[in-house]
Amino acid sequence: MTALFINSFTLICLLIALSRDRAKTKRALIIALKSFFNIFPTILLIIILIGLLLGFVPQSQISKIVGEQASFWGILVVAFLGAILHIPSLISFPLAAALLKSGATVTSVAVFITTLTMIGMVTLPLEVRELGKKMALLRNGISFLIAIIIGIIMGVIL
Amino acid sequence: MKDHIREKGNKRKGIRQDTVLLGATLIIMLILLSFFPEKQEAVTKALWKFFSEMILVLPAVMILMGLFSVFVPKEMVMKYLSKAAGIKAVFLGIIMGALPTGPLYVAFPLASALLKKGARISCIIAFLSAWACIKIPQEMVELQFLGPKFMATRLILTIIFVIMMGLSIERLIEWRDKNKRIL
């Protein structure tokens, strides 16, 4: 159902693009094809890891770290992991879904995705160089707090 | 130009690394499964479920990314954000950050050029944060795997907090700069 919606949305965008500019649309499709093959090995990799995670790691273990039994420290650890890890956000969603399925809470999953995408330790030096220390550190620091607040709110309402 | 070539080389190297890593994990998985045959069913079931869910949307997501990268060029972002003013600038920052594709490090030079042109700080913070975490193709994958409720709630909360963050960082930086001038 969701897949149907996503594919129809893409189809509509594609048709609009085609009616506006054929050559540009062709270029977009070539880019799409290339990035598909670029990301495919990584996607397979993460799916295998998810399979192993769900098959071998007992739910009670996952739940202890990021589940109901997790303390505020658990959330902090997840937030920190998300901030330093450099995995493409595209593959973080299936991973998040797998964790959620095996007992992680909405809060820890939301915190993880949010710090993962918003904060980039790897790109921080570049951000400092381009935008200055003050702005870069403020943005990343406040994003860290925001991610935790968003996660807690989501845990309460979902 | 040189950077471009190097980037291409790095990309190719990255893909080769990914493939090697994939092969290694595949072998590890096969070894593990041959030692623990009782886990086979659970693992293959999970593999198949996640694989089919991914393959149903991945082509569409890639096409969306391709379309955005061609139809929303950097020049367009520059044009809209360099002269945006008022609270509208913050919202425009979010939209212009969400539409184009590309890694975050592409956005930093853009943001710094915009600041030099006199764009609002709040707008640039919103732009960078949206670039980092509100991408339409990315939201589609979130929708597919975590469901509409999770995706929509996180999206709305993120937008609200990004706006608040942009405005407060702007206040803070401007207040400090003003105080420095007085001293």
Side-chain angles (χ1 to χ4, degrees):
Chain A
M1 182 55 206
T2 317
L4 196 68
F5 165 76
I6 294 168
N7 282 290
S8 345
F9 175 73
T10 308
L11 194 66
I12 292 167
C13 289
L14 195 60
L15 289 176
I16 295 172
L18 261 176
S19 71
R20 282 191 132 189
D21 193 328
R22 281 200 108 106
K24 267 189 177 177
T25 310
K26 204 178 149 196
R27 201 144 40 98
L29 286 176
I30 292 170
I31 294 175
L33 199 69
K34 272 189 192 155
S35 30
F36 181 85
F37 286 111
N38 281 350
I39 202 157
F40 202 65
T42 320
I43 297 230
L44 281 183
L45 179 76
I46 206 80
I47 287 173
I48 292 177
L49 289 179
I50 288 173
L52 292 177
L53 177 82
L54 291 179
F56 283 93
V57 184
Q59 294 206 357
S60 56
Q61 277 303 318
I62 297 178
S63 160
K64 214 181 271 170
I65 307 166
V66 286
E68 295 293 347
Q69 303 162 39
S71 58
F72 187 71
W73 288 109
I75 295 174
L76 270 186
V77 169
V78 170
F80 199 68
L81 267 180
I84 51 172
L85 285 179
H86 197 61
I87 30 179
S89 46
L90 219 59
I91 61 171
S92 73
F93 296 118
L95 185 66
L99 286 173
L100 209 53
K101 211 180 144 201
S102 48
T105 54
V106 170
T107 300
S108 37
V109 166
V111 167
F112 179 68
I113 297 175
T114 311
T115 51
L116 188 69
T117 46
M118 274 226 244
I119 302 168
M121 289 290 188
V122 181
T123 49
L124 189 61
L126 186 68
E127 189 171 353
V128 168
R129 204 171 67 209
E130 292 281 356
L131 299 169
K133 214 187 244 167
K134 202 167 29 175
M135 207 161 143
L137 290 181
L138 272 175
R139 195 188 74 81
N140 283 282
I142 298 178
S143 294
F144 191 83
L145 295 179
I146 284 181
I148 293 175
I149 298 171
I150 289 177
I152 292 173
I153 296 178
M154 285 190 67
V156 172
I157 54 180
L158 287 186
Chain B
M1 195 61 207
K2 239 183 191 159
D3 274 351
H4 184 69
I5 294 169
R6 200 188 313 146
E7 203 174 278
K8 225 174 175 178
N10 277 345
K11 224 177 179 178
R12 203 162 290 157
K13 214 167 114 197
I15 295 166
R16 212 183 301 142
Q17 264 174 9
D18 288 350
T19 319
V20 171
L21 213 60
L22 173 66
T25 353
L26 208 63
I27 293 167
I28 292 172
M29 180 184 75
L30 291 176
I31 293 172
L32 272 174
L33 286 184
S34 64
F35 276 110
F36 302 95
E38 75 277 7
K39 302 273 190 197
Q40 266 176 21
E41 207 198 316
V43 173
T44 41
K45 225 173 108 190
L47 273 182
W48 179 244
K49 185 180 167 279
F50 277 89
F51 181 76
S52 52
E53 263 186 48
M54 197 54 162
I55 212 68
L56 276 175
V57 293
L58 194 62
V61 169
M62 290 298 142
I63 290 173
L64 279 179
M65 280 169 83
L67 287 175
F68 282 122
S69 69
V70 172
F71 282 89
V72 190
K74 280 182 199 167
E75 297 76 45
M76 191 172 150
V77 175
M78 287 298 271
K79 198 183 109 198
Y80 277 98
L81 291 191
S82 58
K83 52 183 180 194
I87 189 74
K88 217 179 84 192
V90 186
F91 287 99
L92 256 179
I94 290 185
I95 293 170
M96 286 294 136
L99 288 182
T101 48
L104 193 56
Y105 58 73
V106 178
F108 294 137
L110 257 174
S112 127
L114 281 167
L115 277 177
K116 278 181 197 120
K117 277 194 164 187
R120 283 188 68 173
I121 292 174
S122 52
C123 164
I124 296 307
I125 295 283
F127 166 73
L128 279 176
S129 305
W131 188 298
C133 66
I134 314 173
K135 289 265 169 262
I136 289 161
Q138 191 181 302
E139 293 300 317
M140 292 295 158
V141 183
E142 182 168 0
L143 179 66
Q144 167 80 347
F145 281 96
L146 296 165
K149 234 160 119 192
F150 187 101
M151 176 265 200
T153 318
R154 209 179 66 87
L155 180 64
I156 292 167
L157 286 174
T158 307
I159 291 175
I160 293 171
F161 280 105
V162 160
I163 292 171
M164 279 164 50
M165 168 167 75
L167 291 173
S168 35
I169 291 181
E170 182 177 270
R171 281 269 168 83
L172 205 68
I173 290 180
E174 278 172 358
W175 175 78
R176 269 190 56 170
D177 287 352
K178 209 163 54 189
N179 277 14
K180 240 183 231 161
R181 236 172 282 146
I182 294 169
L183 291 169

